[in-house]
Coordinates of all heavy atoms in Angstrom, one line a residue:
P1 N 146.1 -75.5 -129.8 CA 147.4 -76.2 -130.0 C 147.7 -77.3 -129.0 O 147.6 -77.1 -127.8 CB 148.4 -75.1 -129.9 CG 147.7 -73.8 -130.3 CD 146.3 -74.0 -129.7
G2 N 147.9 -78.5 -129.6 CA 148.3 -79.6 -128.7 C 147.1 -80.3 -128.0 O 147.3 -81.2 -127.2
G3 N 145.9 -79.9 -128.2 CA 144.8 -80.5 -127.5 C 143.6 -80.8 -128.4 O 143.7 -80.6 -129.6
I4 N 142.6 -81.4 -127.8 CA 141.3 -81.7 -128.6 C 140.2 -80.9 -128.0 O 140.0 -80.8 -126.8 CB 141.0 -83.2 -128.4 CG1 142.2 -84.1 -129.0 CG2 139.7 -83.6 -129.1 CD1 142.2 -84.1 -130.5
R5 N 139.4 -80.4 -128.9 CA 138.1 -79.7 -128.5 C 136.9 -80.4 -129.1 O 137.0 -80.9 -130.3 CB 138.1 -78.2 -128.9 CG 139.2 -77.4 -128.3 CD 138.9 -75.9 -128.4 NE 137.8 -75.6 -127.5 CZ 137.5 -74.3 -127.2 NH1 138.2 -73.3 -127.7 NH2 136.4 -74.0 -126.4
V6 N 135.9 -80.5 -128.4 CA 134.6 -81.0 -128.8 C 133.5 -80.0 -128.7 O 133.3 -79.4 -127.6 CB 134.2 -82.3 -128.0 CG1 132.9 -82.8 -128.5 CG2 135.3 -83.4 -128.1
L7 N 132.9 -79.7 -129.8 CA 131.8 -78.7 -129.8 C 130.5 -79.4 -130.4 O 130.6 -80.1 -131.4 CB 132.2 -77.5 -130.7 CG 133.4 -76.7 -130.3 CD1 133.9 -75.8 -131.4 CD2 133.1 -75.9 -129.1
I8 N 129.4 -79.1 -129.7 CA 128.2 -79.8 -130.0 C 127.1 -78.8 -130.3 O 126.8 -78.0 -129.5 CB 127.7 -80.7 -128.8 CG1 128.9 -81.7 -128.5 CG2 126.5 -81.5 -129.1 CD1 128.6 -82.5 -127.2
G9 N 126.5 -79.0 -131.5 CA 125.3 -78.2 -131.9 C 125.5 -76.7 -131.7 O 126.4 -76.1 -132.3
S10 N 124.7 -76.1 -130.9 CA 124.7 -74.6 -130.8 C 125.9 -74.0 -130.2 O 126.2 -72.8 -130.2 CB 123.5 -74.2 -129.9 OG 123.6 -74.8 -128.6
E11 N 126.8 -74.9 -129.6 CA 128.1 -74.4 -129.1 C 128.9 -73.8 -130.2 O 129.9 -73.0 -130.0 CB 128.9 -75.5 -128.4 CG 128.3 -76.0 -127.1 CD 129.1 -77.1 -126.5 OE1 129.8 -77.8 -127.2 OE2 129.0 -77.3 -125.3
M12 N 128.7 -74.2 -131.5 CA 129.4 -73.7 -132.6 C 128.9 -72.3 -133.1 O 129.5 -71.7 -134.0 CB 129.5 -74.7 -133.7 CG 130.3 -75.9 -133.4 SD 130.3 -77.2 -134.6 CE 128.9 -78.1 -134.3
N13 N 127.8 -71.9 -132.5 CA 127.3 -70.5 -132.8 C 127.0 -70.3 -134.3 O 127.3 -69.2 -134.9 CB 128.2 -69.4 -132.3 CG 128.3 -69.5 -130.8 OD1 127.3 -69.5 -130.1 ND2 129.6 -69.5 -130.3
D14 N 126.5 -71.3 -135.0 CA 126.1 -71.2 -136.4 C 125.0 -72.1 -136.7 O 125.1 -73.3 -136.5 CB 127.3 -71.5 -137.3 CG 127.1 -71.0 -138.7 OD1 126.0 -71.4 -139.3 OD2 127.9 -70.3 -139.3
T15 N 123.8 -71.6 -137.2 CA 122.6 -72.4 -137.4 C 122.9 -73.5 -138.3 O 122.2 -74.6 -138.3 CB 121.5 -71.5 -137.8 OG1 121.9 -70.8 -139.0 CG2 121.0 -70.5 -136.8
I16 N 123.8 -73.4 -139.3 CA 124.1 -74.4 -140.2 C 124.6 -75.7 -139.5 O 124.4 -76.8 -140.0 CB 125.2 -74.0 -141.2 CG1 124.7 -72.8 -142.1 CG2 125.7 -75.1 -142.1 CD1 125.7 -72.3 -143.1
L17 N 125.2 -75.5 -138.3 CA 125.9 -76.6 -137.6 C 125.1 -77.1 -136.4 O 125.6 -77.8 -135.6 CB 127.3 -76.1 -137.2 CG 128.2 -75.8 -138.4 CD1 129.4 -74.9 -137.9 CD2 128.7 -77.1 -139.0
D18 N 123.8 -76.6 -136.3 CA 123.1 -77.0 -135.1 C 122.8 -78.5 -134.9 O 122.7 -79.0 -133.8 CB 121.7 -76.3 -135.1 CG 121.8 -74.8 -134.6 OD1 122.8 -74.5 -134.1 OD2 120.8 -74.1 -134.8
D19 N 122.8 -79.2 -136.1 CA 122.6 -80.6 -136.0 C 123.8 -81.5 -135.9 O 123.8 -82.7 -136.0 CB 121.8 -81.1 -137.2 CG 120.4 -80.5 -137.3 OD1 119.7 -80.4 -136.2 OD2 120.0 -80.0 -138.3
Y20 N 125.0 -80.8 -135.8 CA 126.3 -81.6 -135.8 C 127.1 -81.4 -134.6 O 126.8 -80.6 -133.7 CB 127.1 -81.0 -137.0 CG 126.5 -81.1 -138.3 CD1 125.8 -80.0 -138.9 CD2 126.6 -82.2 -139.1 CE1 125.2 -80.0 -140.1 CE2 126.0 -82.2 -140.4 CZ 125.3 -81.1 -140.9 OH 124.8 -81.2 -142.1
A21 N 128.1 -82.3 -134.5 CA 129.1 -82.1 -133.5 C 130.5 -82.1 -134.2 O 130.6 -82.7 -135.3 CB 129.1 -83.3 -132.5
L22 N 131.4 -81.4 -133.6 CA 132.8 -81.3 -134.2 C 133.8 -81.7 -133.2 O 133.8 -81.4 -132.0 CB 133.0 -79.8 -134.5 CG 134.5 -79.4 -134.8 CD1 134.9 -80.0 -136.2 CD2 134.7 -77.9 -134.8
V23 N 134.7 -82.6 -133.6 CA 135.8 -83.1 -132.8 C 137.0 -82.5 -133.5 O 137.3 -82.8 -134.7 CB 136.0 -84.6 -132.7 CG1 137.2 -85.0 -131.9 CG2 134.7 -85.2 -132.1
L24 N 137.8 -81.6 -132.8 CA 138.8 -80.8 -133.4 C 140.2 -81.0 -132.8 O 140.3 -80.9 -131.5 CB 138.4 -79.3 -133.4 CG 139.4 -78.2 -133.9 CD1 139.7 -78.4 -135.3 CD2 138.8 -76.9 -133.6
G25 N 141.2 -81.2 -133.6 CA 142.6 -81.3 -133.1 C 143.5 -80.4 -133.9 O 143.0 -79.7 -134.9
T26 N 144.8 -80.5 -133.7 CA 145.7 -79.7 -134.5 C 146.9 -80.6 -134.9 O 147.1 -81.7 -134.3 CB 146.3 -78.5 -133.7 OG1 146.9 -78.9 -132.5 CG2 145.2 -77.5 -133.5
Y27 N 147.7 -80.2 -135.8 CA 148.9 -80.9 -136.2 C 149.9 -79.8 -136.6 O 149.6 -78.7 -136.9 CB 148.7 -81.8 -137.4 CG 148.3 -81.1 -138.7 CD1 149.2 -80.8 -139.6 CD2 147.0 -80.7 -139.0 CE1 148.9 -80.1 -140.8 CE2 146.6 -80.1 -140.1 CZ 147.6 -79.7 -141.1 OH 147.3 -79.1 -142.2
N28 N 151.2 -80.2 -136.5 CA 152.3 -79.3 -136.8 C 152.9 -79.6 -138.2 O 153.1 -80.8 -138.5 CB 153.4 -79.4 -135.8 CG 152.9 -79.0 -134.4 OD1 152.7 -79.8 -133.5 ND2 152.8 -77.7 -134.2
L29 N 153.1 -78.6 -139.0 CA 153.7 -78.7 -140.3 C 154.9 -77.7 -140.3 O 154.7 -76.5 -140.5 CB 152.7 -78.3 -141.4 CG 153.1 -78.7 -142.8 CD1 153.3 -80.2 -143.0 CD2 152.1 -78.3 -143.8

């Protein structure tokens, strides 16, 4: 909540995502 996380490859702990990076934030509804 309120921040940004960046996860790269194996940090996501799923082989499907080994070749990717994720930039993740949140929003309020």
Side-chain angles (χ1 to χ4, degrees):
I4 297 287
R5 294 200 70 167
V6 177
L7 299 165
I8 302 171
S10 59
E11 289 181 336
M12 290 179 274
N13 296 311
D14 195 306
T15 54
I16 295 176
L17 297 160
D18 278 351
D19 294 318
Y20 302 94
L22 167 71
V23 180
L24 174 64
T26 57
Y27 65 95
N28 295 104
L29 193 60

